[in-house]
Amino acid sequence: MTQRKTRVLPVTAIQPPHVDSETSLLDWWYDKKDSLPQDQVSRLLEAARVLQTSSVPVAFPTETVYGLGADATRSEAVRGIYAAKQRPSDNPLIVHVGSLGQLRALLQPPLAAEDDRCSNISHVNGTIPTTSDQNDDPIPPIYQPLIRKLWPGPLTLLFPLPKTSPFAPEVTTTLSTVGIRMPSSPLARLLISLSNRPLAAPSANASTRPSPTTAAHVLHDLDGRIEMILDGGSCEVGVESTVVDGLCYPPAVLRPGGVGFEEIRRLGGVWTDVVVGYQDRDQWASVNGDGKVDAYTDGSAVQTNTNGMHGRGHVPRAPGMKYRHYAPRARVHLFEDPTSSENEARSRILSLCNDHLASPSQPAHPDLNIGVITTQTWRPDLGLGLSLSPPPNLSNSNSNPKDSVPTLAVSTFHIANSSPSPSATPPNQTSNPNPNTTTTTTTTTTPPTPPSKHHQMHSLALGPAIEDVARGLFSALRELDARGCDVILIEGVEDGEEDAEESAGASEGL
């Protein structure tokens, strides 16, 4: 792949207002752009031009994570996403729109008319095209409650592909549907409107790495692979969009994300019957003779199987379902039982240290780095009575120091000299669909006996609020990777909806 000079371009002074899903931000832009810092105006216009004309994607912030955007209507541009991320080309992408007018135009392409202000690409002036007959709404009625209450926002909806699809085939691969969302980030919506293009945009990380919530994360993963990163600051939500399929009955949540399951169910009507469709990944969608998924016959047909994948063809039902990723280099253990999880984590540390010391392969690497992410009840040292150590020199850690997130406060503890505790017994584990994550559900209490000589524990607190956990999780995983952690222990969150930690083993998207 061609090595490129990657520029990080701050645009934090451009702060468009939050507007409803029917409203384009272009009127605000033309009214305010002369009063904005002109260097940042130029950067945003340059990014829009690149999206219109180039095959190299642009990284930009959304409310969920940073996205890697390209014109969803041009194959060459979409292939640039796969190349930059080193992402499997059979993994479909989510499309981002700036307004409902743009969405309707995409779902009814023969009725779309591009505004002549967009014909002059050099000025990047454009309006979102609209359909000629708003009474013939191509948006399925079932989605109206979600759009009214949850758009713009971290919610992706599945739509049937039009007979004459405006999207590059690389966006949907073999699917007969396309996942579309409208980000709530005003800056992202403004960029989409200025480019006058629907943007295919997965998360702007190298495939399999934790998702990026800052421009620095993007630079670490994609430096030299892309030319431009728009730096709009940290992302507000911090986890990917929820993916929903309303083209089946009962409707299904195919991927957990920024909108909770119960939040959808509370919308009422048919959505009270919504089911989880991402738990059984052993069943797949079949493929018919022309290579398309045989799931929907005419765009409105009911599909009764709500599993995420089903049939013979090993085809995902939606973007973000086929491949697992967002995984740190370290092995992750998630502790879900709020009444005993700190005891479990303490026992696990003792067991890990003992096993590490006893392994015949360890003399060359005798020390163990343990990462701990606390949320609601765990103490920073898990009650082991450990002493604080100076922070490690990240330039000497096992991973690239650019992984570090300076805004996250990490307490590093030295596990004092002591003989390993032979009584330390690892807790039982239950199977988990993510092979890189172990979920602990049973209780084993072991006295806190520090087990070895030079092991270190890096403890990071995200806070008790589910929003703070979601916002900080990916940054925390990257921070602990930067400190060379061999294993990461995460305190689960008690919440009425999905835990944010679902995303630690989720599939790729935005």
Side-chain angles (χ1 to χ4, degrees), residues 157-211:
L157 305 177
L158 291 195
F159 295 90
L161 277 178
K163 291 182 179 179
T164 305
S165 173
F167 303 108
E170 292 83 358
V171 171
T172 56
T173 62
T174 58
L175 294 177
S176 62
T177 58
V178 58
I180 300 178
R181 91 174 185 96
M182 186 187 303
S184 65
S185 163
L187 184 63
R189 291 182 64 187
L190 178 60
L191 178 65
I192 297 168
S193 297
L194 287 172
S195 69
N196 197 36
R197 302 292 187 269
L199 299 186
S203 51
N205 56 322
S207 196
T208 77
R209 295 286 290 126
S211 290

Side-chain angles (χ1 to χ4, degrees), residues 236-379:
E236 295 179 2
V237 176
V239 293
E240 279 68 18
S241 63
T242 303
V243 178
V244 170
D245 184 358
L247 303 179
C248 63
Y249 186 81
V253 173
L254 300 184
R255 184 184 73 180
V259 174
F261 183 83
E262 291 301 324
E263 191 173 0
I264 295 172
R265 177 171 284 173
R266 285 195 296 268
L267 293 174
V270 68
W271 294 104
T272 60
D273 300 326
V274 67
V275 297
V276 172
Y278 53 85
Q279 291 182 331
D280 185 357
R281 296 173 182 264
D282 296 328
Q283 300 184 0
W284 299 69
S286 62
V287 178
N288 59 31
D290 63 3
K292 292 292 184 181
V293 177
D294 190 13
Y296 312 99
T297 60
D298 62 359
S300 61
V302 168
Q303 177 186 336
T304 56
N305 192 328
T306 57
N307 292 314
M309 309 177 204
H310 47 97
R312 300 183 302 276
H314 297 277
V315 176
R317 183 169 158 190
M321 295 192 71
K322 184 167 185 179
Y323 295 97
R324 292 186 176 279
H325 82 311
Y326 305 151
R329 299 181 183 94
R331 184 172 179 82
V332 175
H333 298 264
L334 171 63
F335 295 79
E336 292 183 313
D337 186 346
T339 61
S340 59
S341 62
E342 187 182 68
N343 289 335
E344 295 283 356
R346 189 162 54 235
S347 297
R348 178 62 54 84
I349 286 177
L350 298 172
S351 177
L352 286 168
C353 292
N354 288 332
D355 292 347
H356 191 81
L357 190 65
S359 172
S361 64
Q362 295 310 322
H365 180 50
D367 302 330
L368 186 65
N369 269 338
I370 300 171
V372 175
I373 297 176
T374 69
T375 58
Q376 296 178 329
T377 63
W378 286 8
R379 290 165 286 183

Side-chain angles (χ1 to χ4, degrees), residues 85-171:
K85 284 177 62 71
Q86 299 180 346
R87 173 186 174 113
S89 60
D90 60 346
N91 196 5
L93 302 170
I94 291 172
V95 175
H96 295 64
V97 297
S99 72
L100 289 182
Q102 186 181 31
L103 173 62
R104 293 187 180 104
L106 292 167
L107 299 180
Q108 282 184 332
L111 299 178
E114 185 172 341
D115 190 284
D116 58 7
R117 288 192 293 169
C118 292
S119 59
N120 187 348
I121 289 176
S122 64
H123 293 295
V124 200
N125 293 334
T127 59
I128 300 302
T130 58
T131 59
S132 61
D133 184 0
Q134 294 299 319
N135 293 324
D136 186 17
D137 195 339
I139 299 174
I142 190 173
Y143 287 140
Q144 294 300 332
L146 279 71
I147 289 172
R148 282 195 300 269
K149 295 290 188 180
L150 303 174
W151 266 22
L155 178 68
T156 295
L157 305 177
L158 291 195
F159 295 90
L161 277 178
K163 291 182 179 179
T164 305
S165 173
F167 303 108
E170 292 83 358
V171 171

Side-chain angles (χ1 to χ4, degrees), residues 291-497:
K292 292 292 184 181
V293 177
D294 190 13
Y296 312 99
T297 60
D298 62 359
S300 61
V302 168
Q303 177 186 336
T304 56
N305 192 328
T306 57
N307 292 314
M309 309 177 204
H310 47 97
R312 300 183 302 276
H314 297 277
V315 176
R317 183 169 158 190
M321 295 192 71
K322 184 167 185 179
Y323 295 97
R324 292 186 176 279
H325 82 311
Y326 305 151
R329 299 181 183 94
R331 184 172 179 82
V332 175
H333 298 264
L334 171 63
F335 295 79
E336 292 183 313
D337 186 346
T339 61
S340 59
S341 62
E342 187 182 68
N343 289 335
E344 295 283 356
R346 189 162 54 235
S347 297
R348 178 62 54 84
I349 286 177
L350 298 172
S351 177
L352 286 168
C353 292
N354 288 332
D355 292 347
H356 191 81
L357 190 65
S359 172
S361 64
Q362 295 310 322
H365 180 50
D367 302 330
L368 186 65
N369 269 338
I370 300 171
V372 175
I373 297 176
T374 69
T375 58
Q376 296 178 329
T377 63
W378 286 8
R379 290 165 286 183
D381 69 345
L382 302 182
L384 284 167
L386 305 178
S387 59
L388 279 168
S389 297
N393 182 352
L394 292 180
S395 63
N396 296 324
S397 69
N398 293 343
S399 20
N400 194 310
K402 283 193 293 183
D403 266 337
S404 178
V405 183
T407 57
L408 295 178
V410 180
S411 300
T412 299
F413 296 94
H414 174 67
I415 300 181
N417 293 345
S418 177
S419 300
S421 170
S423 62
T425 305
N428 295 329
Q429 298 170 357
T430 57
S431 62
N432 186 294
N434 179 3
N436 199 42
T437 303
T438 301
T439 300
T440 304
T441 57
T442 58
T443 319
T444 303
T445 302
T446 304
T449 306
S452 186
K453 293 197 296 183
H454 301 295
H455 301 322
Q456 284 191 318
M457 186 175 79
H458 309 282
S459 182
L460 192 154
L462 295 183
I466 186 70
E467 295 84 2
D468 293 335
V469 174
R471 189 179 301 114
L473 178 60
F474 287 131
S475 290
L477 293 174
R478 284 178 174 268
E479 173 75 17
L480 294 177
D481 258 356
R483 293 170 183 267
C485 289
D486 304 285
V487 63
I488 298 173
L489 282 59
I490 302 178
E491 178 188 5
V493 178
E494 273 196 293
D495 188 71
E497 301 172 8

